[in-house]
Amino acid sequence: SAVISQKPSRDICQRGTSLTIQCQVDSQVTMMFWYRQQPGQSLTLIATANQGSEATYESGFVIDKFPISRPNLTFSTLTVSNMSPEDSSIYLCSGQGTAYNEQFFGPGTRLTVL
Amino acid sequence: AQSVTQLGSHVSVSEGALVLLRCNYSSSVPPYLFWYVQYPNQGLQLLLKYTTGATLVKGINGFEAEFKKSETSFHLTKPSAHMSDAAEYFCAVSPYSGGYQKVTFGTGTKLQVIP
């Protein structure tokens, strides 16, 4: 299994600003993903972070709002840009190994936008 | 296409009672199936998974789940609930296939354990 860390663990931000969330995996994983989990809801996939190339975004999510980088196999960042209160959520990073599509999750970043 | 339905967004059980969390899936190909647990203010932790072979799968913390193809179900059970089991539980499905396939999560079931 992989151990995944995220920082910051939580933040309170002002409307119109941006926040970059970092995700570090302790071993190489094939795939890395970013999810959003709004209060009381399930996980919504934002994008697949691709090493050395542009991320693959799900419907409803765009690169200008959620730019993602993955410079190597064990690190990725997600930026939430020009934030509004509707972006208040938990953002989760996950990594997937080579077997059975099993995903391992980071502890999440709890974002509040005022 | 694949989907997951978790019946009951909230389930309450008494401490020591049986825990049963229901999950039904839809998949056009044989699935991989997962249960994850999320404790308050934490990320998701894998409880157990079904890949192939034995249909009764045992996981951590005394949980188990049975893959029933005829019922397209993967219900999670634990014989005796403990206060520490209070958390949110997510069922997830992914197609059985070589290479990467997307994982689809259910809407979650919050388990409350009453002393």
Side-chain angles (χ1 to χ4, degrees), chain A residues 6 10 30-31 33 35 37 39-45 48 58 90 92 96 98-108 110, chain B residues 32 34 36 38-46 49 51-52 88 90 94-97 99-103 105-108 110:
Chain A
Q6 281 184 239
R10 60 179 67 239
T30 307
M31 313 290 288
F33 307 96
Y35 290 85
Q37 185 180 24
Q41 297 189 26
S42 186
L43 284 72
T44 301
L45 181 63
T48 303
E58 298 298 304
I90 300 171
L92 292 158
Q96 180 173 310
T98 57
Y100 311 123
N101 298 320
E102 180 178 332
Q103 292 192 17
F104 304 96
F105 285 84
R110 282 147 187 81
Chain B
Y32 295 139
F34 310 90
Y36 287 86
Q38 185 177 34
Y39 297 103
N41 300 314
Q42 295 188 28
L44 276 71
Q45 178 184 2
L46 182 69
K49 64 178 182 282
T51 56
T52 58
E88 187 154 21
F90 293 92
S94 177
Y96 172 81
S97 176
Y100 161 67
Q101 296 289 337
K102 194 177 294 186
V103 177
F105 288 85
T107 51
K110 277 193 177 173

Short mmCIF file of all heavy atoms in Angstrom, two decimals, chain A residues 6 10 30-31 33 35 37 39-45 48 58 90 92 96 98-108 110, chain B residues 32 34 36 38-46 49 51-52 88 90 94-97 99-103 105-108 110:
data_model
loop_
_atom_site.label_atom_id
_atom_site.label_comp_id
_atom_site.label_asym_id
_atom_site.label_seq_id
_atom_site.Cartn_x
_atom_site.Cartn_y
_atom_site.Cartn_z
N GLN A 6 -0.83 15.13 2.63
CA GLN A 6 -1.30 16.34 1.98
C GLN A 6 -1.01 17.52 2.88
O GLN A 6 -1.08 17.42 4.11
CB GLN A 6 -2.82 16.30 1.76
CG GLN A 6 -3.29 15.50 0.61
CD GLN A 6 -4.80 15.59 0.43
OE1 GLN A 6 -5.46 14.56 0.47
NE2 GLN A 6 -5.34 16.78 0.23
N ARG A 10 -5.77 22.05 6.50
CA ARG A 10 -6.95 22.90 6.43
C ARG A 10 -6.51 24.35 6.21
O ARG A 10 -5.36 24.71 6.49
CB ARG A 10 -7.80 22.81 7.70
CG ARG A 10 -7.08 23.21 8.97
CD ARG A 10 -8.03 23.10 10.17
NE ARG A 10 -8.40 21.73 10.45
CZ ARG A 10 -9.66 21.28 10.44
NH1 ARG A 10 -10.66 22.09 10.16
NH2 ARG A 10 -9.93 20.02 10.72
N THR A 30 0.92 4.40 -10.05
CA THR A 30 0.66 4.54 -11.48
C THR A 30 -0.13 5.81 -11.75
O THR A 30 0.18 6.57 -12.65
CB THR A 30 -0.11 3.31 -11.99
OG1 THR A 30 0.59 2.13 -11.62
CG2 THR A 30 -0.30 3.38 -13.48
N MET A 31 -1.19 5.98 -10.97
CA MET A 31 -2.10 7.09 -11.22
C MET A 31 -2.25 7.91 -9.95
O MET A 31 -2.19 7.39 -8.84
CB MET A 31 -3.49 6.58 -11.63
CG MET A 31 -3.50 5.50 -12.69
SD MET A 31 -3.02 6.13 -14.30
CE MET A 31 -4.47 7.08 -14.71
N PHE A 33 -4.95 11.05 -8.41
CA PHE A 33 -6.23 11.69 -8.65
C PHE A 33 -6.50 12.77 -7.62
O PHE A 33 -6.00 12.72 -6.49
CB PHE A 33 -7.39 10.67 -8.56
CG PHE A 33 -7.20 9.46 -9.42
CD1 PHE A 33 -6.67 8.30 -8.90
CD2 PHE A 33 -7.56 9.50 -10.76
CE1 PHE A 33 -6.50 7.19 -9.69
CE2 PHE A 33 -7.39 8.38 -11.55
CZ PHE A 33 -6.85 7.22 -11.02
N TYR A 35 -9.89 14.60 -5.82
CA TYR A 35 -11.33 14.53 -5.59
C TYR A 35 -11.78 15.73 -4.77
O TYR A 35 -11.01 16.30 -3.99
CB TYR A 35 -11.71 13.27 -4.81
CG TYR A 35 -11.58 11.96 -5.54
CD1 TYR A 35 -10.36 11.28 -5.60
CD2 TYR A 35 -12.69 11.38 -6.16
CE1 TYR A 35 -10.25 10.07 -6.24
CE2 TYR A 35 -12.59 10.16 -6.81
CZ TYR A 35 -11.37 9.51 -6.84
OH TYR A 35 -11.27 8.30 -7.48
N GLN A 37 -14.90 16.60 -2.00
CA GLN A 37 -15.96 16.03 -1.18
C GLN A 37 -16.65 17.17 -0.45
O GLN A 37 -16.13 17.73 0.52
CB GLN A 37 -15.41 15.02 -0.17
CG GLN A 37 -16.48 14.30 0.62
CD GLN A 37 -15.92 13.31 1.62
OE1 GLN A 37 -14.77 13.43 2.06
NE2 GLN A 37 -16.71 12.31 1.98
N PRO A 39 -19.58 18.99 1.85
CA PRO A 39 -20.13 18.56 3.15
C PRO A 39 -21.29 17.58 3.00
O PRO A 39 -22.26 17.86 2.28
CB PRO A 39 -20.58 19.88 3.78
CG PRO A 39 -19.68 20.90 3.19
CD PRO A 39 -19.43 20.45 1.76
N GLY A 40 -21.18 16.44 3.63
CA GLY A 40 -22.24 15.45 3.63
C GLY A 40 -22.43 14.72 2.32
O GLY A 40 -23.44 14.03 2.14
N GLN A 41 -21.48 14.84 1.43
CA GLN A 41 -21.64 14.20 0.13
C GLN A 41 -20.50 13.22 -0.17
O GLN A 41 -19.53 13.13 0.57
CB GLN A 41 -21.70 15.28 -0.97
CG GLN A 41 -22.91 16.19 -0.83
CD GLN A 41 -23.09 17.10 -2.03
OE1 GLN A 41 -22.65 16.78 -3.14
NE2 GLN A 41 -23.73 18.23 -1.82
N SER A 42 -20.68 12.52 -1.27
CA SER A 42 -19.66 11.56 -1.67
C SER A 42 -18.53 12.25 -2.41
O SER A 42 -18.48 13.48 -2.50
CB SER A 42 -20.30 10.49 -2.55
OG SER A 42 -19.37 9.46 -2.83
N LEU A 43 -17.65 11.45 -2.94
CA LEU A 43 -16.48 11.98 -3.65
C LEU A 43 -16.83 12.28 -5.10
O LEU A 43 -17.49 11.50 -5.77
CB LEU A 43 -15.36 10.95 -3.63
CG LEU A 43 -14.58 10.80 -2.34
CD1 LEU A 43 -15.40 10.12 -1.27
CD2 LEU A 43 -13.29 10.02 -2.57
N THR A 44 -16.34 13.40 -5.57
CA THR A 44 -16.46 13.77 -6.97
C THR A 44 -15.07 13.89 -7.55
O THR A 44 -14.25 14.66 -7.04
CB THR A 44 -17.21 15.10 -7.12
OG1 THR A 44 -18.52 14.99 -6.54
CG2 THR A 44 -17.33 15.47 -8.59
N LEU A 45 -14.80 13.15 -8.59
CA LEU A 45 -13.48 13.20 -9.22
C LEU A 45 -13.31 14.51 -9.97
O LEU A 45 -14.13 14.84 -10.83
CB LEU A 45 -13.30 12.00 -10.15
CG LEU A 45 -11.97 11.89 -10.88
CD1 LEU A 45 -10.82 11.70 -9.88
CD2 LEU A 45 -11.99 10.73 -11.87
N THR A 48 -7.58 13.51 -13.22
CA THR A 48 -6.45 12.58 -13.12
C THR A 48 -5.19 13.38 -13.37
O THR A 48 -5.08 14.08 -14.39
CB THR A 48 -6.57 11.47 -14.16
OG1 THR A 48 -7.82 10.80 -13.98
CG2 THR A 48 -5.43 10.48 -14.04
N GLU A 58 -12.49 15.97 -15.43
CA GLU A 58 -13.85 15.44 -15.55
C GLU A 58 -14.79 16.56 -15.96
O GLU A 58 -14.48 17.75 -15.84
CB GLU A 58 -14.29 14.84 -14.22
CG GLU A 58 -13.44 13.66 -13.77
CD GLU A 58 -13.50 12.49 -14.74
OE1 GLU A 58 -14.61 12.01 -15.04
OE2 GLU A 58 -12.41 12.07 -15.22
N ILE A 90 -13.79 19.59 1.09
CA ILE A 90 -12.60 18.81 1.38
C ILE A 90 -12.02 18.35 0.05
O ILE A 90 -12.75 17.83 -0.80
CB ILE A 90 -12.93 17.57 2.24
CG1 ILE A 90 -13.56 18.00 3.58
CG2 ILE A 90 -11.68 16.74 2.49
CD1 ILE A 90 -14.11 16.84 4.39
N LEU A 92 -9.33 15.86 -1.70
CA LEU A 92 -8.62 14.62 -1.40
C LEU A 92 -7.74 14.23 -2.58
O LEU A 92 -8.18 14.26 -3.73
CB LEU A 92 -9.61 13.49 -1.12
CG LEU A 92 -10.44 13.61 0.15
CD1 LEU A 92 -11.70 12.77 0.04
CD2 LEU A 92 -9.62 13.17 1.35
N GLN A 96 -3.10 5.39 -7.07
CA GLN A 96 -3.54 4.05 -7.46
C GLN A 96 -2.34 3.27 -7.94
O GLN A 96 -1.58 3.74 -8.78
CB GLN A 96 -4.59 4.15 -8.56
CG GLN A 96 -5.12 2.83 -9.05
CD GLN A 96 -6.28 3.01 -10.01
OE1 GLN A 96 -7.22 3.74 -9.71
NE2 GLN A 96 -6.19 2.38 -11.16
N THR A 98 -0.76 -0.67 -9.26
CA THR A 98 -0.91 -1.43 -10.50
C THR A 98 -1.93 -2.55 -10.39
O THR A 98 -2.30 -3.14 -11.40
CB THR A 98 0.44 -2.04 -10.90
OG1 THR A 98 0.92 -2.85 -9.82
CG2 THR A 98 1.46 -0.96 -11.21
N ALA A 99 -2.42 -2.83 -9.20
CA ALA A 99 -3.30 -3.98 -9.02
C ALA A 99 -4.72 -3.56 -8.67
O ALA A 99 -4.92 -2.74 -7.78
CB ALA A 99 -2.76 -4.89 -7.92
N TYR A 100 -5.68 -4.06 -9.38
CA TYR A 100 -7.09 -4.02 -9.01
C TYR A 100 -7.68 -2.62 -8.88
O TYR A 100 -8.74 -2.46 -8.29
CB TYR A 100 -7.31 -4.75 -7.68
CG TYR A 100 -6.67 -6.12 -7.64
CD1 TYR A 100 -5.74 -6.45 -6.66
CD2 TYR A 100 -6.96 -7.07 -8.60
CE1 TYR A 100 -5.15 -7.70 -6.62
CE2 TYR A 100 -6.37 -8.33 -8.59
CZ TYR A 100 -5.46 -8.63 -7.59
OH TYR A 100 -4.86 -9.87 -7.56
N ASN A 101 -7.04 -1.65 -9.42
CA ASN A 101 -7.55 -0.27 -9.34
C ASN A 101 -7.76 0.20 -7.91
O ASN A 101 -8.58 1.08 -7.66
CB ASN A 101 -8.86 -0.14 -10.13
CG ASN A 101 -8.65 -0.44 -11.59
OD1 ASN A 101 -7.65 -0.04 -12.17
ND2 ASN A 101 -9.57 -1.15 -12.20
N GLU A 102 -7.03 -0.37 -6.99
CA GLU A 102 -7.16 0.01 -5.58
C GLU A 102 -6.55 1.38 -5.36
O GLU A 102 -5.45 1.66 -5.79
CB GLU A 102 -6.45 -1.03 -4.74
CG GLU A 102 -6.47 -0.81 -3.25
CD GLU A 102 -5.77 -1.94 -2.53
OE1 GLU A 102 -5.74 -3.06 -3.05
OE2 GLU A 102 -5.24 -1.68 -1.43
N GLN A 103 -7.30 2.26 -4.69
CA GLN A 103 -6.81 3.61 -4.44
C GLN A 103 -6.52 3.82 -2.97
O GLN A 103 -7.22 3.29 -2.10
CB GLN A 103 -7.84 4.63 -4.92
CG GLN A 103 -8.00 4.67 -6.43
CD GLN A 103 -8.79 5.85 -6.92
OE1 GLN A 103 -8.98 6.84 -6.21
NE2 GLN A 103 -9.26 5.77 -8.15
N PHE A 104 -5.50 4.63 -2.73
CA PHE A 104 -5.12 5.02 -1.38
C PHE A 104 -5.27 6.53 -1.28
O PHE A 104 -4.90 7.26 -2.19
CB PHE A 104 -3.68 4.60 -1.09
CG PHE A 104 -3.44 3.14 -1.30
CD1 PHE A 104 -2.93 2.66 -2.49
CD2 PHE A 104 -3.77 2.23 -0.31
CE1 PHE A 104 -2.72 1.31 -2.69
CE2 PHE A 104 -3.58 0.87 -0.51
CZ PHE A 104 -3.06 0.41 -1.70
N PHE A 105 -5.80 6.97 -0.15
CA PHE A 105 -6.16 8.37 -0.02
C PHE A 105 -5.29 9.10 0.98
O PHE A 105 -4.87 8.54 2.01
CB PHE A 105 -7.62 8.50 0.41
CG PHE A 105 -8.58 8.21 -0.71
CD1 PHE A 105 -8.96 6.92 -1.02
CD2 PHE A 105 -9.10 9.25 -1.47
CE1 PHE A 105 -9.84 6.65 -2.06
CE2 PHE A 105 -9.97 9.00 -2.50
CZ PHE A 105 -10.34 7.71 -2.80
N GLY A 106 -5.09 10.38 0.71
CA GLY A 106 -4.51 11.27 1.68
C GLY A 106 -5.55 11.67 2.70
O GLY A 106 -6.74 11.38 2.55
N PRO A 107 -5.14 12.40 3.75
CA PRO A 107 -6.06 12.79 4.82
C PRO A 107 -7.00 13.92 4.44
O PRO A 107 -7.95 14.19 5.16
CB PRO A 107 -5.10 13.24 5.94
CG PRO A 107 -3.88 13.67 5.21
CD PRO A 107 -3.76 12.78 4.02
N GLY A 108 -6.75 14.54 3.32
CA GLY A 108 -7.64 15.61 2.87
C GLY A 108 -7.20 16.98 3.32
O GLY A 108 -6.48 17.15 4.32
N ARG A 110 -9.08 20.56 4.19
CA ARG A 110 -10.38 21.18 4.48
C ARG A 110 -10.29 22.67 4.21
O ARG A 110 -9.59 23.38 4.92
CB ARG A 110 -10.78 20.89 5.92
CG ARG A 110 -11.33 19.49 6.07
CD ARG A 110 -11.03 18.83 7.39
NE ARG A 110 -11.45 17.44 7.35
CZ ARG A 110 -10.74 16.44 6.81
NH1 ARG A 110 -9.56 16.68 6.30
NH2 ARG A 110 -11.22 15.22 6.78
N TYR B 32 -14.38 -5.11 -9.85
CA TYR B 32 -13.68 -5.08 -8.58
C TYR B 32 -14.56 -4.26 -7.65
O TYR B 32 -15.12 -3.24 -8.05
CB TYR B 32 -12.33 -4.39 -8.69
CG TYR B 32 -11.31 -5.09 -9.56
CD1 TYR B 32 -10.49 -4.37 -10.42
CD2 TYR B 32 -11.15 -6.47 -9.52
CE1 TYR B 32 -9.54 -4.99 -11.22
CE2 TYR B 32 -10.20 -7.10 -10.32
CZ TYR B 32 -9.40 -6.36 -11.16
OH TYR B 32 -8.46 -6.97 -11.95
N PHE B 34 -15.05 -2.50 -3.61
CA PHE B 34 -14.30 -2.01 -2.45
C PHE B 34 -15.25 -1.44 -1.41
O PHE B 34 -16.32 -0.93 -1.74
CB PHE B 34 -13.34 -0.87 -2.89
CG PHE B 34 -12.47 -1.18 -4.07
CD1 PHE B 34 -12.91 -0.90 -5.35
CD2 PHE B 34 -11.22 -1.75 -3.90
CE1 PHE B 34 -12.12 -1.18 -6.46
CE2 PHE B 34 -10.42 -2.03 -5.00
CZ PHE B 34 -10.87 -1.75 -6.27
N TYR B 36 -14.65 1.41 1.69
CA TYR B 36 -13.76 2.35 2.36
C TYR B 36 -14.46 2.90 3.60
O TYR B 36 -15.69 3.03 3.62
CB TYR B 36 -13.41 3.52 1.45
CG TYR B 36 -12.45 3.20 0.32
CD1 TYR B 36 -12.92 2.69 -0.88
CD2 TYR B 36 -11.08 3.41 0.46
CE1 TYR B 36 -12.05 2.40 -1.92
CE2 TYR B 36 -10.20 3.13 -0.58
CZ TYR B 36 -10.69 2.63 -1.76
OH TYR B 36 -9.82 2.34 -2.78
N GLN B 38 -14.36 6.26 6.35
CA GLN B 38 -13.84 7.61 6.58
C GLN B 38 -14.23 8.04 7.98
O GLN B 38 -15.41 8.27 8.26
CB GLN B 38 -14.39 8.59 5.54
CG GLN B 38 -13.78 9.98 5.66
CD GLN B 38 -14.28 10.94 4.59
OE1 GLN B 38 -15.43 10.86 4.15
NE2 GLN B 38 -13.42 11.85 4.15
N TYR B 39 -13.25 8.15 8.85
CA TYR B 39 -13.48 8.65 10.19
C TYR B 39 -13.51 10.18 10.15
O TYR B 39 -12.95 10.79 9.22
CB TYR B 39 -12.41 8.14 11.14
CG TYR B 39 -12.40 6.64 11.28
CD1 TYR B 39 -11.45 5.86 10.64
CD2 TYR B 39 -13.38 5.99 12.03
CE1 TYR B 39 -11.46 4.48 10.74
CE2 TYR B 39 -13.39 4.61 12.14
CZ TYR B 39 -12.43 3.87 11.49
OH TYR B 39 -12.45 2.50 11.59
N PRO B 40 -14.13 10.79 11.12
CA PRO B 40 -14.23 12.26 11.11
C PRO B 40 -12.89 12.94 10.92
O PRO B 40 -11.89 12.57 11.56
CB PRO B 40 -14.84 12.56 12.48
CG PRO B 40 -15.65 11.35 12.81
CD PRO B 40 -14.85 10.20 12.26
N ASN B 41 -12.87 13.89 10.03
CA ASN B 41 -11.68 14.70 9.75
C ASN B 41 -10.50 13.88 9.24
O ASN B 41 -9.33 14.26 9.45
CB ASN B 41 -11.26 15.49 10.99
CG ASN B 41 -12.35 16.44 11.44
OD1 ASN B 41 -12.93 17.15 10.63
ND2 ASN B 41 -12.66 16.43 12.73
N GLN B 42 -10.79 12.78 8.57
CA GLN B 42 -9.73 11.97 7.99
C GLN B 42 -10.05 11.63 6.54
O GLN B 42 -11.17 11.84 6.07
CB GLN B 42 -9.54 10.68 8.80
CG GLN B 42 -9.05 10.91 10.23
CD GLN B 42 -8.70 9.61 10.91
OE1 GLN B 42 -8.32 8.62 10.29
NE2 GLN B 42 -8.80 9.61 12.24
N GLY B 43 -9.06 11.09 5.84
CA GLY B 43 -9.28 10.62 4.48
C GLY B 43 -9.93 9.25 4.49
O GLY B 43 -10.35 8.74 5.52
N LEU B 44 -10.02 8.65 3.33
CA LEU B 44 -10.64 7.33 3.20
C LEU B 44 -9.60 6.23 3.39
O LEU B 44 -8.48 6.32 2.88
CB LEU B 44 -11.28 7.17 1.81
CG LEU B 44 -12.68 7.73 1.65
CD1 LEU B 44 -12.67 9.23 1.66
CD2 LEU B 44 -13.30 7.19 0.36
N GLN B 45 -10.01 5.19 4.10
CA GLN B 45 -9.14 4.05 4.36
C GLN B 45 -9.79 2.80 3.79
O GLN B 45 -10.99 2.58 4.00
CB GLN B 45 -8.93 3.89 5.87
CG GLN B 45 -8.06 2.71 6.28
CD GLN B 45 -7.97 2.56 7.78
OE1 GLN B 45 -8.57 3.30 8.54
NE2 GLN B 45 -7.20 1.59 8.23
N LEU B 46 -9.03 2.00 3.08
CA LEU B 46 -9.58 0.79 2.49
C LEU B 46 -9.87 -0.24 3.58
O LEU B 46 -8.99 -0.61 4.35
CB LEU B 46 -8.60 0.21 1.47
CG LEU B 46 -9.07 -1.04 0.74
CD1 LEU B 46 -10.24 -0.69 -0.20
CD2 LEU B 46 -7.93 -1.65 -0.07
N LYS B 49 -11.53 -5.49 -0.10
CA LYS B 49 -11.79 -5.46 -1.53
C LYS B 49 -12.08 -6.87 -2.04
O LYS B 49 -11.60 -7.85 -1.49
CB LYS B 49 -10.59 -4.88 -2.30
CG LYS B 49 -9.31 -5.68 -2.19
CD LYS B 49 -8.21 -5.03 -3.03
CE LYS B 49 -6.90 -5.85 -2.99
NZ LYS B 49 -6.14 -5.66 -1.77
N THR B 51 -11.71 -8.94 -5.55
CA THR B 51 -11.13 -8.92 -6.90
C THR B 51 -11.61 -10.14 -7.66
O THR B 51 -12.46 -10.05 -8.54
CB THR B 51 -9.60 -8.86 -6.82
OG1 THR B 51 -9.11 -9.95 -6.04
CG2 THR B 51 -9.16 -7.56 -6.16
N THR B 52 -11.08 -11.30 -7.36
CA THR B 52 -11.56 -12.54 -7.95
C THR B 52 -11.47 -13.62 -6.87
O THR B 52 -10.90 -13.41 -5.81
CB THR B 52 -10.72 -12.97 -9.15
OG1 THR B 52 -9.36 -13.12 -8.73
CG2 THR B 52 -10.77 -11.94 -10.27
N GLU B 88 -18.17 7.09 8.40
CA GLU B 88 -18.91 7.01 7.13
C GLU B 88 -18.25 5.93 6.27
O GLU B 88 -17.02 5.85 6.19
CB GLU B 88 -18.91 8.35 6.41
CG GLU B 88 -19.81 8.36 5.17
CD GLU B 88 -20.32 9.73 4.81
OE1 GLU B 88 -19.72 10.74 5.21
OE2 GLU B 88 -21.35 9.80 4.09
N PHE B 90 -18.06 3.99 2.47
CA PHE B 90 -18.29 4.15 1.04
C PHE B 90 -18.03 2.83 0.32
O PHE B 90 -16.98 2.22 0.50
CB PHE B 90 -17.36 5.22 0.46
CG PHE B 90 -17.65 6.61 0.95
CD1 PHE B 90 -16.98 7.11 2.06
CD2 PHE B 90 -18.57 7.41 0.32
CE1 PHE B 90 -17.24 8.39 2.53
CE2 PHE B 90 -18.84 8.70 0.77
CZ PHE B 90 -18.17 9.18 1.88
N SER B 94 -15.13 -0.81 -9.67
CA SER B 94 -14.28 -0.54 -10.81
C SER B 94 -14.35 -1.74 -11.74
O SER B 94 -14.45 -2.87 -11.27
CB SER B 94 -12.85 -0.31 -10.36
OG SER B 94 -11.99 -0.11 -11.45
N PRO B 95 -14.34 -1.53 -13.04
CA PRO B 95 -14.40 -2.68 -13.95
C PRO B 95 -13.19 -3.59 -13.80
O PRO B 95 -12.07 -3.11 -13.58
CB PRO B 95 -14.45 -2.05 -15.34
CG PRO B 95 -14.82 -0.64 -15.12
CD PRO B 95 -14.28 -0.27 -13.78
N TYR B 96 -13.41 -4.87 -13.95
CA TYR B 96 -12.32 -5.84 -13.94
C TYR B 96 -11.67 -5.80 -15.32
O TYR B 96 -12.25 -6.22 -16.30
CB TYR B 96 -12.90 -7.23 -13.65
CG TYR B 96 -11.93 -8.37 -13.79
CD1 TYR B 96 -11.06 -8.67 -12.76
CD2 TYR B 96 -11.92 -9.15 -14.93
CE1 TYR B 96 -10.18 -9.74 -12.87
CE2 TYR B 96 -11.05 -10.21 -15.05
CZ TYR B 96 -10.19 -10.51 -14.02
OH TYR B 96 -9.32 -11.56 -14.14
N SER B 97 -10.49 -5.22 -15.36
CA SER B 97 -9.86 -5.06 -16.66
C SER B 97 -8.39 -4.77 -16.48
O SER B 97 -7.98 -4.24 -15.45
CB SER B 97 -10.52 -3.91 -17.42
OG SER B 97 -9.87 -3.67 -18.65
N GLY B 99 -5.05 -2.71 -16.87
CA GLY B 99 -4.79 -1.28 -16.95
C GLY B 99 -5.72 -0.48 -16.08
O GLY B 99 -6.58 -1.01 -15.38
N TYR B 100 -5.57 0.81 -16.14
CA TYR B 100 -6.36 1.69 -15.28
C TYR B 100 -7.82 1.76 -15.68
O TYR B 100 -8.14 1.87 -16.86
CB TYR B 100 -5.77 3.10 -15.32
CG TYR B 100 -6.76 4.14 -14.85
CD1 TYR B 100 -7.17 4.16 -13.52
CD2 TYR B 100 -7.33 5.06 -15.72
CE1 TYR B 100 -8.11 5.07 -13.08
CE2 TYR B 100 -8.26 5.98 -15.28
CZ TYR B 100 -8.64 5.98 -13.96
OH TYR B 100 -9.56 6.88 -13.54
N GLN B 101 -8.68 1.65 -14.71
CA GLN B 101 -10.10 1.88 -14.91
C GLN B 101 -10.61 2.78 -13.80
O GLN B 101 -10.17 2.67 -12.65
CB GLN B 101 -10.87 0.55 -14.89
CG GLN B 101 -10.50 -0.40 -16.02
CD GLN B 101 -10.99 0.09 -17.35
OE1 GLN B 101 -11.94 0.88 -17.44
NE2 GLN B 101 -10.36 -0.37 -18.41
N LYS B 102 -11.53 3.62 -14.12
CA LYS B 102 -12.05 4.59 -13.16
C LYS B 102 -12.81 3.88 -12.04
O LYS B 102 -13.48 2.89 -12.26
CB LYS B 102 -12.96 5.58 -13.87
CG LYS B 102 -13.30 6.82 -13.06
CD LYS B 102 -14.15 7.78 -13.89
CE LYS B 102 -13.38 8.34 -15.06
NZ LYS B 102 -14.14 9.37 -15.79
N VAL B 103 -12.69 4.41 -10.84
CA VAL B 103 -13.43 3.90 -9.68
C VAL B 103 -14.63 4.80 -9.43
O VAL B 103 -14.49 6.03 -9.40
CB VAL B 103 -12.52 3.86 -8.43
CG1 VAL B 103 -13.31 3.41 -7.21
CG2 VAL B 103 -11.34 2.93 -8.66
N PHE B 105 -17.65 5.78 -6.79
CA PHE B 105 -17.99 5.69 -5.36
C PHE B 105 -19.48 5.86 -5.15
O PHE B 105 -20.14 6.63 -5.87
CB PHE B 105 -17.24 6.76 -4.57
CG PHE B 105 -15.77 6.49 -4.45
CD1 PHE B 105 -14.89 6.89 -5.44
CD2 PHE B 105 -15.27 5.83 -3.35
CE1 PHE B 105 -13.53 6.62 -5.34
CE2 PHE B 105 -13.90 5.57 -3.23
CZ PHE B 105 -13.04 5.96 -4.24
N GLY B 106 -20.00 5.17 -4.14
CA GLY B 106 -21.36 5.40 -3.71
C GLY B 106 -21.48 6.67 -2.90
O GLY B 106 -20.48 7.35 -2.64
N THR B 107 -22.70 6.97 -2.49
CA THR B 107 -22.95 8.23 -1.80
C THR B 107 -22.63 8.17 -0.31
O THR B 107 -22.70 9.18 0.37
CB THR B 107 -24.42 8.64 -1.98
OG1 THR B 107 -25.25 7.53 -1.63
CG2 THR B 107 -24.68 9.03 -3.43
N GLY B 108 -22.30 6.99 0.19
CA GLY B 108 -21.87 6.87 1.57
C GLY B 108 -22.99 6.55 2.53
O GLY B 108 -24.16 6.93 2.31
N LYS B 110 -23.54 6.80 6.75
CA LYS B 110 -23.01 7.17 8.07
C LYS B 110 -23.51 6.18 9.10
O LYS B 110 -24.74 5.99 9.24
CB LYS B 110 -23.43 8.58 8.44
CG LYS B 110 -22.55 9.64 7.84
CD LYS B 110 -22.78 11.00 8.46
CE LYS B 110 -21.82 12.01 7.87
NZ LYS B 110 -22.11 13.38 8.30
#
